[in-house]
Coordinates of all heavy atoms in Angstrom, one line a residue:
Chain B
L332 N 3.7 5.2 -1.9 CA 3.0 4.6 -3.1 C 2.0 5.5 -3.7 O 1.4 6.3 -3.1 CB 2.3 3.3 -2.7 CG 3.2 2.1 -2.5 CD1 4.1 2.2 -1.3 CD2 2.3 0.8 -2.4
V333 N 1.9 5.3 -5.0 CA 0.9 6.1 -5.8 C 0.0 5.2 -6.5 O 0.3 4.2 -7.1 CB 1.6 7.0 -6.9 CG1 0.6 7.7 -7.8 CG2 2.6 8.0 -6.2
H334 N -1.3 5.5 -6.4 CA -2.4 4.6 -6.9 C -2.4 4.8 -8.5 O -2.2 5.8 -9.0 CB -3.7 5.1 -6.4 CG -4.9 4.3 -6.9 ND1 -5.6 4.7 -8.0 CD2 -5.5 3.2 -6.5 CE1 -6.6 3.8 -8.2 NE2 -6.5 2.9 -7.3
L335 N -2.5 3.6 -9.1 CA -2.5 3.6 -10.6 C -3.9 3.3 -11.1 O -4.5 4.0 -12.0 CB -1.6 2.5 -11.1 CG 0.0 2.7 -10.9 CD1 0.7 1.5 -11.4 CD2 0.4 4.0 -11.5
I336 N -4.5 2.2 -10.6 CA -5.8 1.8 -11.2 C -6.5 0.9 -10.2 O -5.9 0.1 -9.5 CB -5.5 1.1 -12.6 CG1 -6.8 1.0 -13.4 CG2 -4.9 -0.2 -12.4 CD1 -6.5 0.7 -14.9
L337 N -7.8 0.9 -10.3 CA -8.7 0.0 -9.4 C -9.6 -0.7 -10.3 O -10.2 -0.2 -11.3 CB -9.5 0.9 -8.4 CG -10.4 0.2 -7.5 CD1 -10.6 1.0 -6.2 CD2 -11.8 -0.1 -8.1
I338 N -9.8 -2.1 -10.1 CA -10.7 -2.9 -10.9 C -11.5 -3.6 -9.8 O -11.1 -4.2 -8.9 CB -10.0 -3.8 -11.8 CG1 -11.0 -4.6 -12.7 CG2 -9.0 -4.8 -11.1 CD1 -10.4 -5.3 -13.9
R339 N -12.9 -3.6 -10.1 CA -13.8 -4.2 -9.1 C -14.0 -5.7 -9.5 O -13.7 -6.1 -10.6 CB -15.1 -3.5 -9.2 CG -15.0 -2.0 -8.7 CD -16.3 -1.4 -8.4 NE -16.0 0.0 -7.9 CZ -15.6 0.3 -6.7 NH1 -15.4 -0.7 -5.8 NH2 -15.4 1.5 -6.4
S340 N -14.5 -6.4 -8.6 CA -14.6 -7.9 -8.7 C -15.6 -8.3 -9.8 O -15.5 -9.4 -10.4 CB -15.1 -8.5 -7.4 OG -16.4 -8.0 -7.0
N341 N -16.5 -7.4 -10.3 CA -17.4 -7.7 -11.3 C -16.9 -7.1 -12.7 O -17.6 -7.2 -13.7 CB -18.8 -7.1 -11.1 CG -18.8 -5.6 -10.9 OD1 -17.8 -5.0 -10.9 ND2 -20.0 -5.0 -10.7
E342 N -15.7 -6.6 -12.8 CA -15.1 -6.1 -14.0 C -14.0 -7.1 -14.4 O -13.4 -7.8 -13.6 CB -14.5 -4.7 -13.8 CG -15.5 -3.7 -13.4 CD -14.9 -2.3 -13.1 OE1 -13.9 -2.3 -12.3 OE2 -15.4 -1.3 -13.6
R343 N -13.8 -7.2 -15.7 CA -12.7 -8.1 -16.3 C -11.6 -7.4 -16.8 O -10.4 -8.0 -16.9 CB -13.4 -9.0 -17.4 CG -14.4 -9.9 -16.8 CD -13.8 -11.0 -15.8 NE -14.8 -11.7 -15.1 CZ -15.1 -11.4 -13.8 NH1 -14.6 -10.4 -13.2 NH2 -16.1 -12.1 -13.2
E344 N -11.7 -6.1 -17.3 CA -10.6 -5.4 -17.8 C -10.8 -3.9 -17.7 O -12.0 -3.5 -17.7 CB -10.6 -5.8 -19.4 CG -9.3 -5.2 -20.1 CD -9.2 -5.8 -21.5 OE1 -9.3 -7.0 -21.6 OE2 -8.9 -5.0 -22.4
K345 N -9.7 -3.2 -17.5 CA -9.8 -1.8 -17.3 C -8.5 -1.2 -18.0 O -7.5 -1.8 -17.9 CB -9.9 -1.4 -15.9 CG -10.7 -0.1 -15.6 CD -11.2 -0.1 -14.2 CE -12.0 1.2 -14.0 NZ -12.5 1.3 -12.6
H346 N -8.7 0.0 -18.5 CA -7.6 0.7 -19.2 C -7.5 2.1 -18.6 O -8.4 2.7 -18.1 CB -7.9 0.9 -20.7 CG -8.0 -0.4 -21.4 ND1 -7.0 -0.9 -22.2 CD2 -9.0 -1.3 -21.5 CE1 -7.3 -2.0 -22.7 NE2 -8.5 -2.3 -22.3
S347 N -6.2 2.5 -18.5 CA -5.9 3.9 -18.1 C -4.6 4.3 -18.8 O -3.5 3.9 -18.4 CB -5.8 4.0 -16.6 OG -5.4 5.4 -16.2
G348 N -4.8 5.1 -19.8 CA -3.5 5.5 -20.6 C -2.8 4.3 -21.2 O -3.4 3.5 -21.9
R349 N -1.5 4.2 -20.8 CA -0.7 3.0 -21.3 C -0.9 1.7 -20.3 O -0.2 0.8 -20.5 CB 0.8 3.4 -21.3 CG 1.0 4.5 -22.4 CD 2.6 4.8 -22.4 NE 3.1 5.3 -21.2 CZ 3.9 4.8 -20.4 NH1 4.4 3.5 -20.7 NH2 4.4 5.4 -19.3
L350 N -1.8 1.8 -19.4 CA -2.0 0.7 -18.4 C -3.2 -0.1 -18.8 O -4.3 0.5 -19.2 CB -2.2 1.2 -17.0 CG -1.1 2.1 -16.5 CD1 -1.4 2.5 -15.0 CD2 0.3 1.4 -16.5
R351 N -3.1 -1.4 -18.8 CA -4.2 -2.3 -19.0 C -4.2 -3.3 -17.8 O -3.2 -4.0 -17.6 CB -4.2 -3.0 -20.3 CG -5.3 -4.1 -20.5 CD -5.1 -4.6 -21.9 NE -6.0 -5.8 -22.0 CZ -5.5 -7.1 -22.1 NH1 -4.2 -7.3 -22.0 NH2 -6.3 -8.1 -22.2
V352 N -5.3 -3.4 -17.1 CA -5.4 -4.4 -16.0 C -6.5 -5.4 -16.4 O -7.6 -5.0 -16.8 CB -5.8 -3.6 -14.7 CG1 -6.2 -4.7 -13.6 CG2 -4.6 -2.8 -14.2
T353 N -6.3 -6.6 -16.1 CA -7.3 -7.6 -16.3 C -7.5 -8.3 -14.9 O -6.6 -8.4 -14.1 CB -6.9 -8.7 -17.3 OG1 -5.7 -9.3 -16.9 CG2 -6.7 -8.1 -18.6
L354 N -8.7 -8.9 -14.7 CA -9.0 -9.6 -13.5 C -9.8 -10.9 -13.8 O -10.7 -10.8 -14.6 CB -9.8 -8.7 -12.6 CG -10.3 -9.3 -11.2 CD1 -9.1 -9.6 -10.3 CD2 -11.3 -8.4 -10.5
D355 N -9.3 -12.0 -13.3 CA -9.9 -13.3 -13.4 C -10.2 -13.8 -12.0 O -9.3 -14.4 -11.4 CB -9.0 -14.2 -14.2 CG -9.7 -15.5 -14.6 OD1 -10.7 -15.9 -13.8 OD2 -9.2 -16.2 -15.5
T356 N -11.5 -13.6 -11.6 CA -11.8 -14.0 -10.2 C -11.9 -15.5 -10.1 O -11.7 -16.0 -9.0 CB -13.2 -13.4 -9.8 OG1 -14.1 -13.7 -10.8 CG2 -13.0 -11.9 -9.7
S357 N -12.1 -16.2 -11.2 CA -12.2 -17.7 -11.1 C -10.8 -18.3 -10.8 O -10.6 -19.3 -10.1 CB -12.7 -18.3 -12.3 OG -11.8 -18.1 -13.4
K358 N -9.7 -17.6 -11.3 CA -8.3 -18.0 -11.1 C -7.7 -17.2 -10.0 O -6.5 -17.4 -9.6 CB -7.5 -17.9 -12.3 CG -7.9 -18.7 -13.5 CD -7.1 -18.6 -14.7 CE -7.5 -19.5 -15.8 NZ -6.7 -19.3 -17.0
K359 N -8.5 -16.2 -9.4 CA -7.9 -15.3 -8.3 C -6.6 -14.7 -8.8 O -5.5 -14.8 -8.1 CB -7.8 -16.1 -7.0 CG -9.1 -16.5 -6.4 CD -8.9 -17.1 -5.0 CE -10.2 -17.2 -4.2 NZ -11.2 -18.0 -4.9
S360 N -6.6 -14.1 -10.0 CA -5.4 -13.5 -10.5 C -5.7 -12.3 -11.3 O -6.8 -12.0 -11.8 CB -4.7 -14.5 -11.4 OG -5.4 -14.8 -12.5
S361 N -4.7 -11.4 -11.4 CA -4.8 -10.1 -12.1 C -3.5 -9.9 -12.8 O -2.4 -10.4 -12.4 CB -5.1 -9.0 -11.2 OG -5.1 -7.7 -11.8
S362 N -3.5 -9.2 -13.9 CA -2.3 -8.8 -14.5 C -2.3 -7.3 -14.9 O -3.4 -6.7 -15.1 CB -2.1 -9.6 -15.8 OG -3.1 -9.2 -16.8

Side-chain angles (χ1 to χ4, degrees):
Chain B
L332 279 70
V333 175
H334 181 266
L335 294 175
I336 196 164
L337 179 154
I338 187 166
R339 298 197 178 279
S340 59
N341 61 354
E342 297 174 312
R343 291 298 167 257
E344 188 170 313
K345 209 160 183 183
H346 296 256
S347 176
R349 293 184 296 112
L350 305 180
R351 173 179 169 252
V352 169
T353 61
L354 179 64
D355 187 335
T356 53
S357 67
K358 295 181 179 178
K359 291 187 170 58
S360 68
S361 172
S362 67

